[in-house]
Each structure stands twice: as C-alpha cells, then as structure tokens.
Amino acid sequence: MVADALLAVRLFVSAPRKFGGIALRGFGPVREHLMEQVAGALAAHGPVVRIPPNADAELLLGGLDLAETLARGTEVKRPGLLDIAEGGVAIVPMAERMSPGVAAHLANAIDRGALAIILLDDGLDADEAPPPALLERVAFLCDLSSVRSLDISLGKQVKWGDAPPSPLKKQRSAIAATAFALGITSVRPILFAEACARLVAVMRRSEKVRDEDLETAVRLALAPRALHLPEIAEASAPEPERPESEPGMQDEADRDRERADIPLDDLLLTAAQAAIPQNVLDGISQGSTRLSGGQAGRARQKERSTRRGRPLGSVPGLPGDGRRLSVFDSLRAAAPWQTLRRAAVPDDARPLHIRKSDLRIRRFEQNRESLIIFAVDASGSSALSRLAEAKGAVELMLAEAHVKRAQVALVAFRHADADVLLPPTRSLTRARRALTGLPGGGGTPLAAGLHQA
Amino acid sequence: MSVFPFSAIVGQSDMKLALLVAAVDARIGGVMIFGDRGTGKSTAARALAATLPPILAVTGCRYNCDPDDGERCPDPCTGDKARRVPVPFVDLPLGSTEDRVLGALDLEKALSRGEKHFEPGLLAKAHRGFLYIDEINLLEDHIVDLLLDVAASGENLVERDGLSVRHKARFVLIGSGNPEEGELRPQLLDRFGLSVEVRTPDSVDDRVEIMRRCDALERDPKKFAAKWRGEDAKVLRQIESAKAALAGVKTPTRALRDTAALCKAVGADGLRGELTLMRSARALAALEGDPAVTRDHIGRMAPLALRHRLRRDVLDETGSTVRIELALAELFG
C-alpha cells in the first residue's frame, strides 16, 4: 500500500496537470516529510500556491485593490490566487473542511486545465472527506495514515515526453470493463487510468503498454474509488499446455504464457480488487462510500447570523444593534463613485465621499446548534436495561461530537415524574461523570445499532 | 498586575515540568493543559515566559525579527540595530476575530493617504514567543482552522483587502481548557506536543500556602519578586544548561525500542507520539544533567506525550492516563 501511494505521488509530480490532482489523507509527520519533497519537485513545473482555509471567492478570483484604487482614482484590480497559480499546482490544506463554494471554483479551474491540486485531507472518520466534486477530478486517492516510518523518498521524476506509448484497443476496453465492474460510472477515472498506464510504461522504459502497466494503473487509479465489489465469473482459465519442464522451474516465458491465457479483464479486476483500501471496503459493506462524504444531516446545517461564525461576505445595510459595519466592503462600494462625487463638490476637500447607500454590514455563518434528547421510560422492570442502552448510545454519539457538534441530553420518565439525568452537553467527559451511576454503556444492542447507522 | 514568579507556584509539578521541557526544545511543540478553572494555568505559562531570558530583536520591528535570521521582513526593518526584548507572551481571547488574529489592512492609512499598510495581528506579535489560548475547546471553528494552518506551515500568509503579506509565525502554543465543556478536534490536539491534567490541590496546607503567596504578591510585589528571584534564576540556569547540553544527550538503541514498543502497546495514533516522546525524554535528560536517555526518562514523559493521542474507545471506560500507566507497568516492570 505504501509503495503504491509513493508511486502515485511520484507520477503526479512528474506530470501534474495530466492527472488533475492527488488527495493525500492522513495528517502527521509522514505527510509533512513527503510534502517537503513534493514541493521541491513541483517547483520545476510552475508556480506552487497554497490556498488558505479561510479562502473566499474574492481571494481566489481576484478583486479590487482598494488602496491603489483610492490613490489613483481608477479601478485597479488585484489578481486572485487562481490566477497566480495558473499553469502550476495549488495545495489545499484541511481539504475536508472546504466550503462548497471554494470547491466549485477549484473544480472549474481544473476543468479549464489551468492548474492541478493537491488535497491535504486531515479527516479521521469516514464522513470527513474533501468535497466529492474535487475528489472526482483528481486521479489518485492515497491514504498515508497507517505509514509508520519517515524513511520514504519520492524517487526521480518521469518525463512524459513527446509520445509515450498508447494502449491498444483491447487494453482500453479492459480498463473500461474493470471500472464498470467496480461500479465506477464516471469517465474521468478511466482517462486517468490510461494516462497512468502510459507514464508507468515510460518509467519502466517499455516501448509499449504492457499488462503489468495496466495492472499498476488499475490499482492506483481505480481501486480506491470502488463503489461495489465485482462479481468474479466462476469460469476458470483453461489449463495451459506446458511442455515437459523441470518441476519447480517456472521461467519468465511460462509465466507470460499463463498470464496470456487468463482474460485481461479478469486479470485487471483481480488486481484492482486486491488493492481496494480497507476503509473503502468497510464503506462498501456498510452501504456508504467515502466519496459521498462532506456535510450530512441536520447537524451540519448552517444558519446566517450577524454576530458570530465564519465570515460570509456582506450585504447593504446600516450598522447598529449588533450588526457590524464592514469597512472594507463599504469603501469598495464607494470607490468607483469618488471621481464623480468629487467633481460635484469641487470645494470640498474631503479625501473620501461616502453615502448611506455605500454602507455594508458583515454577515456570518454558524453551525445550527442541534440538541438530541433521549427520553427513556424508567418505569417497570426493564427500566434499568433501557437506561443502560441509552447510556451507551449517548456515549457513542458524544464520541463523535467533535465532528457533528450536536448536544445530547438524557431524560428519564417515570409515570408523572421526569429526571434530567444528563443536561445538554457536548462533552463525553461530562456525560461519563453524570452517568456513572447507571450500569452499561458501550457494547449494548442499541449502541451497536447506532454504530451501524 | 505583576507576574507571579515561576518558582513560587505551589505544587502542579506536572504542569511546571511540561512547560520547562517545552521551553528547552521548541520542536516539541507546545503544551495543552486540561483542567478546572483557577488552577494556575495561565499564571504558570505567563510566569515561565517572564523567567526566560530576553531575546534579540531588530529595533522597532513589529514582527520580532531575529537580526541573525536574514529572512525578509514585511516591514522594511533595517537589520543593523538590535536590542533585547522580553519573550513575547500573547493571549488569544475567546471572541477574537480573524482580523485581530491574522492582522488586517490599516484602514486609517488607507483612507487618509491611500496607502496600503498592514496592521499585524496577534500571530505576528507572538512570533518567537508564546501564544496562550484559554478555553481553546470553545474557540470558533474557523479560527481553529487558521491556527492549525499557521502552526503547520510556520508562517502567516494574509491575502485580502488588497494586501499580500507573508511573515514568520513560530511560537510555542499553550492551550488550556476544561474537557467537560467541549471536545477538541483530534487534528488540533495532535499539534500539541505535551498535555497535562491539573486539578485544584487537595491538601488544605497547599491551599493555605497559595492564599498566603498571592496575598504577599498583592501587598508588596517587589519584595515578593525579590524573595523568589534566586529560585527563578536557578530555573533559568537549568533551562540554559539544558539547551546547551541537548545536542550531546545520547539516545541509545534500547531507548528507541522502548519508545516504539510503548507507543504500539497503547495504540497511539500516528508517528508524532513517538517523535515527541523521544524529544521530550531527551530534553528531560538534559534538564537533569544526565548524559543519556534512560527508561526512567521515557516512563516519566510518556503520560505527558501520549495521553492526548490515544484513540478514544467508547467501549473502554479506563481513562487515557491509566492506560499508559498500565502499559508502562507491563513493559518496563
């Protein structure tokens, strides 16, 4: 697995825009060490730009250079990060927390062929993943979280050259069939797999694309995107007719002959299936896949606010009563009118003419708080077991609270009375302390059922 | 309010040890202090910063530039004149906005003269010093994202409002918080090298001593400081000789194997736990004047380096510290 990941990175670095991009999952010293080598190697291909986590549309696409505009009296534009990165590579840290808006702009840039991206995915759980729109457009998905050694090196870059070997028609249809069998419906992975096979052939100094190159390409570009497991046909390959040879001696020619007798499709499919990462296999068996990650459910719904949260631009309005003035946006609205307004009152020496209609107030976006209340019937003989199950469910939910940010509470009812056993909280520690009196927790059927969900 | 002398802090030996070790080797990466309010967390961090020797910075530079560094400064700071400034200690209050943390356009200059000036934020002020974040588990998500980004890259890049400013931002991150009020993202916890748990002191004697010392400080800060100056000077000498000795501390193969075995036994996530444990064990050896890292050093630093990196298993009721102690007992006897 590690060797495959390193090979994928090496291929990407050799020809970034042919592969669209690469996603590297797993934060820690290993990825940092790898990225140092990557950054050095990429510098040869063009600009390398880092997209900060608080990027917005203006930062990416460019906007008004306010100070210059005010100084010169004419509109002066400032290039956006995507313009600066044109022809090169954009590195995106914390990709699993990217907003859909930023993802859309990056996807657009990749489609135009303007740049390639490196997604640094810090996610831990299965549903923390970069936006699907970007995962779709990158060739390789690599997971470095299980690598336990810093002794990794990238190897020399491979030159794409003028005319790398092209696959034959039957090789192309084998790639397509493999992708189809794995449930990959999009065309992009197939194109990436072909590009990968070609570059691997160049790397191995071969004049044509051989079956091993296809196997490698399928492992790197298709296996991590598998959406369902293929149904391998029962029919086995016919026994090769082997001439009399020493038992235990199988040379290159024999192996090739054996391989040639197995249909290429099955060969590739087996290779791909063996290379499907464990977390993808788990996702398939549970009925969900990593590619559908991102925001999900009510707990992640955002609500507009004028007070706190992630900044979300500005709208016309008057400040006051908790609404904050956005000085920069107000100035930007006023800037184009300065020449006219100054001309209208030549005796007025004010540096800036601002009207009420120019004022803008800031808007923010914060996560909608959600509260889940477990109301448990605590009367009767099975009350204790019910409470134990609820305790297990509460702990399980809170263990993931840092992802979902939902609060949890537990209320026990007994005929006409109710007890708040756990007031609303987001903290597993507090829940544990409050519910120590109750038996159970953890491995109970309800908890197991939630784990499945 | 005058600074409480570091050596005058009562008890809390774990926390003081963690701060000392973090001060000896900056690569260890900061300390996360879990605990109740009023346990001296911010006092201790502030006290340590005050104990450290002043640093050499270019005169008048708003970014605390090192005159020997040669890195370009966003301001045109002339590298010839340098003077000693106290080690920066910056508080990041809970309600901080992005502008305040990263820095923003100096609007007054932009409005009145049409000039583009960058007003440095808290991250610039904390460069080469300490950034203390109280109640870090309640910090807004998007601010946490920014901090993680800067901590990872070591520099702050501000590209907005028509500005494009890049400045170095390397600091020791000290966070504190009560875990009962909210969980921290594992990605953020991993950024902290060491973690400690502090509790309000149990013994009445300790509490009485705390009250006595705080009272003495309030009534006559100069006298109090003078009384503890000798002890603080000892701490300072200890840190300085540890820094000098650090490169020479031997790390025998046995120590490396012990570290790896321990991390594997407790199931610490990723590689950073092992690296941090190794570095902090060496720093501890340097602090105590030992020539090589021994099992004892590793055992003492293990809870501090690993307790916040263990995957929380909901089905397992034992706390992280206990798990580490069990593993230590099993492996090292």
Side-chain angles (χ1 to χ4, degrees), chain B residues 63-86:
Chain B
Y63 300 90
N64 303 326
C65 279
D66 190 344
D68 302 324
D69 211 349
E71 279 283 325
R72 277 178 321 136
C73 176
D75 277 352
C77 81
T78 44
D80 46 358
K81 276 219 191 83
R83 62 190 176 93
R84 300 205 166 272
V85 295

Side-chain angles (χ1 to χ4, degrees), chain A residues 213-235:
Chain A
D213 306 329
L214 291 178
E215 275 182 72
T216 307
V218 153
R219 274 197 340 257
L220 259 45
L222 295 185
R225 297 174 180 279
L227 292 178
H228 63 66
L229 293 173
E231 291 132 30
I232 300 280
E234 279 303 317

Side-chain angles (χ1 to χ4, degrees), chain A residues 39-64:
Chain A
L42 282 177
H45 285 283
V48 178
V49 167
R50 204 156 181 276
I51 312 274
N54 58 344
D56 57 7
E58 199 206 328
L59 183 63
L60 293 176
L61 303 175
L64 195 70

Side-chain angles (χ1 to χ4, degrees), chain A residues 161-180:
Chain A
D162 293 321
S166 276
L168 302 170
K169 178 163 181 230
K170 71 165 183 157
Q171 292 177 315
R172 282 202 170 114
S173 57
I175 295 178
T178 311
F180 186 68

